[in-house]
Amino acid sequence: MISAEIIAIGSELLLGGRTDTNSVFLSEMLANLGIEVGFKTVVGDNVSHICQALVVASRRVDIVVVSGGLGPTIDDLTRDSVARVTGRPLRRRDRVVKAIKERFDRQRREITTNQLRQAQLPMGADCLTNSVGTAPGFSMKWGKCRLICLPGVSHEARQMFTETVQPLLSREGYVRPPLRMRTIHTFGLLEGHVDEAIADLVPKSGRFRLGLLASPMGVSVSLTEIHPEHEKNKENRLFFDNNKVELEVLVKSISTRLYPHVYGYDHEKMEEVVGNRLRDSGLSISVAESCTGGLIGHRITQVAGSSGYFERGVVCYSNHAKTSLLGVSPAILRRYGAVSAQVARRMAEGVREGSGTALGLSVTGIAGPLGGTAAKPVGLVYVGLSTPNKTFIREFRFHGDRGIVKLRSSQGALDVVRRHVCGLPMGDA
Ligand code: ATP
Ligand code: MG
């Protein structure tokens, strides 16, 4: 198994304001090359710390991928750190200087002297061309490991990885068959329930690693293939073919156990699954949103082609809006309160009647942190779905802060639509 470590460099990544997202796509790209990421490290803009991280990484993996700190400014320290730790001094590369000057000429910008720092690369390192930015990356063999340094700007790192790093790793014999991974997405189950329901299906010492990931969107189950040590021989090719079949069998049996909570697989999102079903069945939908403030409409319209089934979204936050836009009677609002099954019903029916769509979806709830009572706590959410024959109502009790309750509500509402269009039982909250 070829192993890798990703080192994300940047003090901003340690201060809480910015997340290291580069390592997410780098992990995925490496997994596609059959390379397993064993470690991720985040380190600030500090030469001594960067050197320490590089030394530790070089001793425990085959490939070290660094992102960030290649720019021209004083806090871009990756080149200096690599030079120091590997003992290979920085040398100016004329070809890089030329490329930087040409780039500035094309953009009719004055070049500053610090820009030329980017042309200083450790002796013996291969330059990795940056086709979408100024700072080149570089790669070098260092002891037993291969060190690859990419820019921090995400689209530059991504581009450089596909254009130059991937071919390089392939040339150098690091690439293996991709690590197969399947993910099963569920909504409406707790992590503990999922675990209990499927634990006996995936043996701990088997060929797949089981992972459970809980998020506001639900609980996802991942199955990742574990590579044997010597992947190249014939016996192991057979191993891979068998794995493929076994993995699909496992996905099927897990899905059966978790039915009807499974809404999608791998990169599929709930709004895509729902959108595809609506499009295929020729059903149109309109949405009336209170506590989600337009989030459901946003998610539905994130899917290309949603104009084929999405008619309108009404954000009716106040009681006045619920009455004037959807015809919810003030008496019902007074009697049951805005967060009630009765109001969810009238909102769903009102938006459906007003827009002439096949389906009308509504959400009303208490996102918090204020507004909860003993009878109606924060996280209480009603979803209504009005259809030509019947109006369905579901009550949810979500946990989490305001943002999470909103996300969960949007997911719960879309799940109600999914269950209806797929002919599944509505289920308990
Ligand atoms: P630049 O030429 O822009 O200085 P650089 O290679 O020096 O590029 P950084 O200065 O480290 O990269 O970061 C550039 C931008 O990319 C910053 O906005 C930074 O927050 C962001 N960035 C850096 N590393 C990451 C990361 N791991 N994940 C997401 N964003 C990152
Ligand atoms: Mg920088």
Side-chain angles (χ1 to χ4, degrees):
M1 178 87 248
I2 302 290
S3 62
E5 174 157 351
I6 299 170
I7 304 182
I9 296 180
S11 295
E12 75 278 15
L13 305 171
L14 296 172
L15 293 172
R18 198 172 267 255
T19 320
D20 159 33
T21 50
N22 289 357
S23 71
V24 178
F25 68 77
L26 288 171
S27 291
E28 194 172 342
M29 286 170 160
L30 287 162
N32 282 334
L33 302 177
I35 299 165
E36 190 175 48
V37 175
F39 305 88
K40 287 183 182 183
T41 301
V42 181
V43 58
D45 302 313
N46 174 308
V47 172
S48 146
H49 293 174
I50 297 171
C51 289
Q52 287 174 42
L54 286 168
V55 169
V56 171
S58 71
R59 290 187 185 141
R60 59 186 181 189
V61 292
D62 306 299
I63 301 169
V64 179
V65 182
V66 176
S67 99
L70 290 185
T73 57
I74 201 80
D75 58 352
D76 291 319
L77 301 168
T78 302
R79 280 179 300 268
D80 297 288
S81 309
V82 171
R84 183 192 290 189
V85 84
T86 59
R88 306 222 204 142
L90 296 177
R91 290 278 181 274
R92 178 179 284 205
R93 305 288 174 96
D94 291 336
R95 279 198 9 221
V96 180
V97 172
K98 193 163 163 257
I100 295 175
K101 284 189 168 151
E102 281 172 3
R103 191 177 173 83
F104 273 74
D105 277 350
R106 271 201 308 277
Q107 297 174 345
R108 303 198 191 292
R109 285 194 296 153
E110 238 1 88
I111 195 160
T112 51
T113 35
N114 63 357
Q115 289 294 340
L116 296 176
R117 289 184 66 219
Q118 296 171 109
Q120 304 260 25
L121 299 186
M123 253 171 71
D126 300 316
C127 174
L128 305 174
T129 316
N130 189 337
S131 61
V132 285
T134 314
F138 61 89
S139 159
M140 61 203 276
K141 193 86 184 135
W142 174 32
K144 280 198 193 136
C145 91
R146 161 72 44 192
L147 175 65
I148 294 161
C149 295
L150 305 174
V153 181
S154 298
H155 74 275
E156 294 182 21
R158 193 186 286 262
Q159 186 97 358
M160 197 176 284
F161 193 94
T162 17
E163 277 176 9
T164 61
V165 177
Q166 211 158 299
L168 177 128
L169 292 175
S170 176
R171 266 197 319 275
E172 306 245 327
Y174 286 108
V175 174
R176 299 286 181 274
L179 292 174
R180 284 198 192 96
M181 180 168 165
R182 296 294 315 270
T183 312
I184 304 158
H185 303 294
T186 69
F187 180 78
L189 292 171
L190 295 174
E191 212 176 358
H193 291 153
V194 174
D195 191 36
E196 247 172 43
I198 64 170
D200 63 304
L201 292 176
V202 191
K204 283 213 164 56
S205 55
R207 297 163 175 184
F208 305 99
R209 194 178 299 132
L210 174 73
L212 293 190
L213 180 71
S215 79
M217 300 312 187
V219 178
S220 300
V221 179
S222 68
L223 288 166
T224 318
E225 187 175 35
I226 302 165
H227 271 196
E229 281 310 311
H230 308 288
E231 303 92 336
K232 279 197 163 162
N233 64 37
K234 226 178 173 180
E235 202 180 305
N236 279 316
R237 190 149 314 142
L238 190 66
F239 176 97
F240 280 116
D241 292 343
N242 286 345
N243 267 10
K244 190 175 174 184
V245 177
E246 199 183 318
L247 180 58
E248 292 315 310
V249 171
L250 257 180
V251 168
K252 265 224 169 89
S253 22
I254 291 177
S255 304
T256 309
R257 291 264 178 102
L258 301 178
Y259 167 94
H261 300 278
V262 176
Y263 69 83
Y265 295 89
D266 305 323
H267 289 292
E268 273 181 326
K269 294 183 179 148
M270 179 76 90
E271 53 271 38
E272 292 165 354
V273 174
V274 168
N276 287 340
R277 295 303 293 234
L278 287 171
R279 193 197 53 226
D280 293 349
S281 46
L283 293 170
S284 56
I285 191 166
S286 52
V287 179
E289 300 187 56
S290 187
C291 66
T292 46
L295 180 58
I296 299 172
H298 168 69
R299 288 184 60 188
I300 292 177
T301 54
Q302 282 292 90
V303 181
S306 47
S307 60
Y309 46 85
F310 183 63
E311 207 277 338
R312 74 181 66 168
V314 177
V315 179
C316 44
Y317 212 58
S318 66
N319 284 357
H320 173 64
K322 290 179 184 68
T323 302
S324 64
L325 297 172
L326 302 171
V328 182
S329 85
I332 287 186
L333 281 162
R334 259 197 314 274
R335 179 147 177 218
Y336 300 104
V339 179
S340 60
Q342 292 79 0
V343 168
R345 172 181 298 275
R346 275 309 305 145
M347 284 167 66
E349 290 168 355
V351 78
R352 179 171 166 268
E353 284 156 18
S355 60
T357 48
L359 306 176
L361 178 69
S362 72
V363 185
T364 176
I366 305 164
L370 309 174
T373 62
K376 293 189 178 182
V378 168
L380 175 67
V381 175
Y382 291 94
V383 170
L385 180 69
S386 167
T387 75
N389 307 320
K390 185 180 169 182
T391 298
F392 299 90
I393 302 294
R394 268 192 78 180
E395 181 187 301
F396 292 95
R397 283 168 191 262
F398 295 124
H399 294 281
D401 65 20
R402 190 173 175 84
I404 288 176
V405 170
K406 287 176 75 177
L407 270 177
R408 292 203 155 118
S409 304
S410 69
Q411 190 77 340
L414 289 169
D415 194 51
V416 166
V417 181
R418 177 188 74 89
R419 283 170 182 254
H420 174 67
V421 288
C422 296
L424 298 169
M426 275 297 162
D428 305 320

